[in-house]
Amino acid sequence: FYSSEGFLVLVGRDVQTNDMLVNKHMESNDLYFHADFDGAPSVVVKDGQDSGEETKQEAAKAAVSFTKTWKAGIGSDNTYYVTPDQVTQEPESGEYLPKGAFIVRGDRTYIRNVKVVVAVGPYEIEEDTFVPLAGPVEAIEENCETFVEVEPGRTKKSDIAKEIRSYFKDKGYDLDLDYIVRSLPPGESTVKRKK
């Protein structure tokens, strides 16, 4: 997603995309965000060292929202960010590093009690071509004319995606159902509000 300040924020979905984000797309002026527990996605803010507090907060929300925190129904968690030179896949002698994991060395800047929240909206990637954009409400509201806010709940991801697709279709946006499913956080959800 694009932050409300216009910075591109990339969120890994699994071991392969986390690896790709860090090893192929992360550059020296970016920022790396991670929730403070194992299994959380890697989040990279492009040119993040030039970003403001709003972008950092939005990246932190993405780092905790697209994790097991969502699945567990936990309302908030802690996250941190570091510069790219602090992130490595090279363990010290005697350390073991599972596939897709990274070691963060040095000081971390923590953002505490980050609220779990996600919105999905139709984003125009080229004239009359829209894809679902998912991220913190502030970022989606800034970049999409309409959106649906979701929170952890008890409805299957596929059913929530159908409800979102139907809502957007009524608004004139025909989004691919599979793309909507892939844009949602892991686990079950409920629709909090539609705009």
Side-chain angles (χ1 to χ4, degrees):
F1 65 91
Y2 286 95
S3 75
S4 56
E5 297 176 321
F7 289 85
L8 179 61
V9 182
L10 304 169
V11 181
R13 293 178 40 83
D14 51 33
V15 169
Q16 288 81 20
T17 55
N18 283 340
D19 195 57
M20 199 176 5
L21 267 180
V22 172
N23 293 318
K24 293 184 180 173
H25 299 291
M26 190 164 67
E27 298 172 307
S28 61
N29 197 40
D30 298 343
L31 283 178
Y32 175 86
F33 285 75
H34 199 269
D36 203 16
F37 59 87
D38 290 341
S42 291
V43 176
V44 174
V45 179
K46 299 304 290 174
D47 294 317
Q49 293 179 44
D50 298 329
S51 69
E53 194 57 36
E54 286 176 42
T55 296
K56 290 178 179 115
Q57 289 290 330
E58 291 165 12
K61 287 177 185 173
V64 298
S65 294
F66 290 93
T67 65
K68 295 173 191 166
T69 303
W70 187 280
K71 228 177 199 174
I74 299 169
S76 67
D77 210 334
N78 298 329
T79 187
Y80 62 85
Y81 64 90
V82 295
T83 56
D85 60 332
Q86 294 177 256
V87 182
T88 182
Q89 280 187 307
E90 297 172 15
E92 296 286 334
S93 178
E95 284 182 323
Y96 168 74
L97 193 61
K99 184 177 169 98
F102 299 94
I103 294 172
V104 175
R105 303 205 191 284
D107 294 337
R108 304 169 187 198
T109 303
Y110 275 87
I111 301 175
R112 305 214 182 268
N113 297 318
V114 178
K115 187 176 179 200
V116 174
V117 62
V118 169
V120 179
Y123 180 75
E124 190 170 25
I125 55 170
E126 54 186 52
E127 191 172 335
D128 296 327
T129 303
F130 293 84
V131 296
L133 188 68
V137 176
E138 307 88 344
I140 303 308
E141 192 167 25
E142 181 68 30
N143 291 289
C144 302
E145 288 185 16
T146 184
F147 65 88
V148 174
E149 184 179 348
V150 295
E151 61 186 2
R154 297 187 183 222
T155 306
K156 288 191 321 189
K157 189 191 265 195
S158 58
D159 291 337
I160 289 290
K162 288 174 189 168
E163 183 179 344
I164 290 170
R165 183 172 193 260
S166 174
Y167 177 73
F168 289 149
K169 202 165 192 164
D170 289 346
K171 296 270 191 179
Y173 302 99
D174 190 13
L175 300 181
D176 184 278
L177 183 63
D178 288 338
Y179 283 173
I180 295 171
V181 169
R182 287 197 303 238
S183 71
L184 292 170
E188 298 177 334
S189 302
T190 189
V191 171
K192 184 175 180 183
R193 71 179 171 124
K194 299 173 181 175
K195 180 187 176 277

